[in-house]
Amino acid sequence: MTPRRVADAARAERVMCAGDELAALVAAVCAELTGLGPLEALVADDETTDVLVNGPADVWRDRGAGLERADVRFEDDAAVARLARRLAAAAGRRLDDAVPWVDARLPDGTRLHAVLAPVASPGSCLSLRLPRRRGFELDELVHPETAELLRAVVASRAAFLVTGGTGSGKTTVLSALLSCVPERERIVVVEDCRELRPTHPHVVRLEARPANVEGAGAVVLRDLVRQALRMRPDRLVVGEVRGGEVVDLMAALNTGHEGGCGTVHANEPAQLPSRVEALAGAAGLPREAAHSQLGAAVDLVVHLARRPSGERGVAEVAVLSRGPSGLVEVVTAMRSDASGRLLPGPGAAQLRSVLHR
């Protein structure tokens, strides 16, 4: 279906309208049949990072400063479901009454998640995480002082994890940090869904794959991390650590793979050890071993958060240390104030030691 064929069909049906009206009709029909329907204008805005549909009359978007309601609506819930099914099909996935949800990546890199009604209420829900048209420079994301510190982290080849809550900008900041890696170094990125887009001449990507309709053909992150280790990475990167791959990543960082990094969902830096403990425990690693591996593998934590204004930024840079119980604890080295400047914390001396070792 092309705009020309739609226009030819309209003329064949003797649709009477002016040139501008015909162009608008053609655009609307193409958006409905092959595009994103009423969401087309939102997605076309370069500043839009997320589009959320909570039923036919409740559409939201994020342009980097928090969610805002969009002046867009669908005719009814059936229209939302049709769009969700078409997008799922474009990603090679199934979405129907038997399988009422889908999590997939579209050909253009957009992250799709959809849940059909009545499982979702008040109507079918659709979430789109849009790929950035261009990569952010580090100076666009953080205060100049913070940018200087983070460049020093990358240059030191310290192993670090970027933490934060959902939508805090972990992937965006990690992409910018990877863009600071020297060009002579080879970056191997392992992701569940391709989201990291560093500006770097030597990036190799490995992407997980879900099972097909018959339940076969799945490729999981743990397997890909092991393959990445055999690909001579100067920097091993796991886009989002959320399963047993944490064990393989920590093992790699403990066996000479300096400068490795990844992201972990944690609302506060102090939650990182327990989060890693839970993920590693599910993969069969005992608590004490998980803390031992974490303490030896990871040097720093870069924590991101949304400010009250809705803007995202670096809230804290922290180091890891062993507490009285022998378990790993997170110690604040630098904390951001309201203006985005970093102020020293109790772990500042250890941070300097890591950066200048």
Side-chain angles (χ1 to χ4, degrees):
M1 181 64 65
T2 64
R4 181 171 182 176
R5 292 181 65 180
V6 173
D8 290 343
R11 295 188 185 96
E13 293 295 325
R14 297 182 180 179
V15 175
M16 303 299 294
C17 56
D20 292 344
E21 294 173 334
L22 178 59
L25 174 64
V26 169
V29 172
C30 288
E32 178 65 27
L33 296 180
T34 63
L36 293 170
L39 306 180
E40 195 76 42
L42 303 182
V43 173
D45 184 346
D46 288 347
E47 299 302 315
T48 301
T49 61
D50 297 82
V51 176
L52 308 175
V53 180
N54 310 322
D58 193 15
V59 180
W60 298 75
R61 70 170 166 182
D62 189 340
R63 290 189 285 186
L67 291 174
E68 58 187 75
R69 190 181 293 275
D71 187 20
V72 169
R73 62 173 296 139
F74 290 78
E75 288 186 9
D76 49 31
D77 190 68
V80 180
R82 282 196 304 271
L83 175 59
R85 291 191 183 99
R86 181 160 54 76
L87 294 177
R93 303 296 296 279
R94 176 182 176 183
L95 182 63
D96 52 32
D97 291 339
V99 184
W101 56 75
V102 68
D103 185 15
R105 182 172 64 86
L106 301 179
D108 67 353
T110 297
R111 180 74 177 265
L112 162 71
H113 186 271
V115 184
L116 298 180
V119 175
S121 178
S124 296
C125 291
L126 183 65
S127 303
L128 298 175
R129 170 68 59 85
L130 307 176
R132 175 78 176 174
R133 269 68 168 186
R134 66 172 182 85
F136 278 107
E137 297 291 334
L138 195 56
D139 291 319
E140 297 179 75
L141 300 172
V142 298
H143 189 278
E145 266 185 21
T146 307
E148 183 179 355
L149 172 61
L150 296 180
R151 288 192 182 94
V153 169
V154 174
S156 72
R157 296 187 61 81
F160 64 92
L161 293 174
V162 179
T163 62
T166 301
S168 59
K170 298 186 294 296
T171 300
T172 302
V173 168
L174 182 55
S175 289
L177 289 174
L178 293 176
S179 298
C180 299
V181 171
E183 293 187 359
R184 67 180 181 277
E185 296 186 17
R186 172 180 171 92
I187 302 174
V188 180
V189 179
V190 177
E191 292 183 278
D192 184 57
C193 181
R194 180 175 174 177
E195 292 182 302
L196 290 170
R197 297 170 179 268
T199 304
H200 193 277
H202 197 165
V203 180
V204 178
R205 307 174 188 278
L206 301 179
E207 186 174 347
R209 183 177 66 194
N212 59 22
V213 178
E214 289 76 28
V219 177
V220 299
L221 288 182
R222 291 201 70 173
D223 292 335
L224 294 180
V225 171
R226 293 166 185 164
Q227 296 307 311
L229 294 176
R230 297 174 173 85
M231 299 174 68
R232 199 241 178 245
D234 290 305
R235 307 271 181 157
L236 173 62
V237 183
V238 178
E240 182 177 1
V241 179
R242 56 181 181 181
E245 63 276 0
V246 69
V247 175
D248 301 280
L249 176 60
M250 291 192 299
L253 298 180
N254 278 321
T255 54
H257 292 275
E258 297 180 343
C261 54
T263 73
V264 179
H265 186 106
N267 293 326
E268 298 178 358
Q271 295 178 355
L272 175 65
S274 59
R275 175 72 171 152
V276 171
E277 177 187 321
L279 296 176
L285 195 66
R287 183 187 192 195
E288 293 76 12
H291 279 261
S292 177
Q293 289 283 295
L294 175 62
V298 177
D299 298 304
L300 302 172
V301 178
V302 179
H303 184 72
L304 307 179
R306 280 187 181 271
R307 299 188 178 92
S309 64
E311 295 181 348
R312 298 171 285 193
V314 175
E316 187 174 327
V317 177
V319 293
L320 303 184
S321 68
R322 291 297 184 96
S325 64
L327 301 180
V328 171
E329 295 179 350
V330 177
V331 181
T332 301
M334 304 292 284
R335 185 184 297 277
S336 176
D337 64 11
S339 68
R341 298 174 64 95
L342 288 178
L343 305 177
Q350 185 178 340
L351 173 61
R352 288 194 295 271
S353 176
V354 169
L355 298 182
H356 298 99
R357 64 189 177 187

